[in-house]
Amino acid sequence: MKMDTQNIINFVINSVEKFLSGNPDLTFYAFAFDCNVEDAEINLCLNTEEAFLKL
């Protein structure tokens, strides 16, 4: 199965833009891919300093 890297890049760009516009007061510092191999699914996880400090 060939991976469509441009589609993944567009997904990341759109997701980060949506997150930032919906959370203008949060400080975003990192993201990671959560890959579900069984369903061939890629999820994007975003981290904020505010959530990190709650740990």
Side-chain angles (χ1 to χ4, degrees), residues 30-48:
F31 72 84
F33 292 110
D34 176 18
C35 301
N36 181 336
V37 178
E38 289 182 13
D39 297 326
E41 180 179 83
I42 298 175
N43 297 299
L44 188 63
C45 302
L46 300 161
N47 293 338
T48 64

Side-chain angles (χ1 to χ4, degrees), residues 4 6 10 13 16 20 29 37 46-47 55:
D4 184 355
Q6 189 60 51
N10 291 338
I13 291 169
V16 170
L20 293 175
Y29 72 91
V37 178
L46 300 161
N47 293 338
L55 296 176

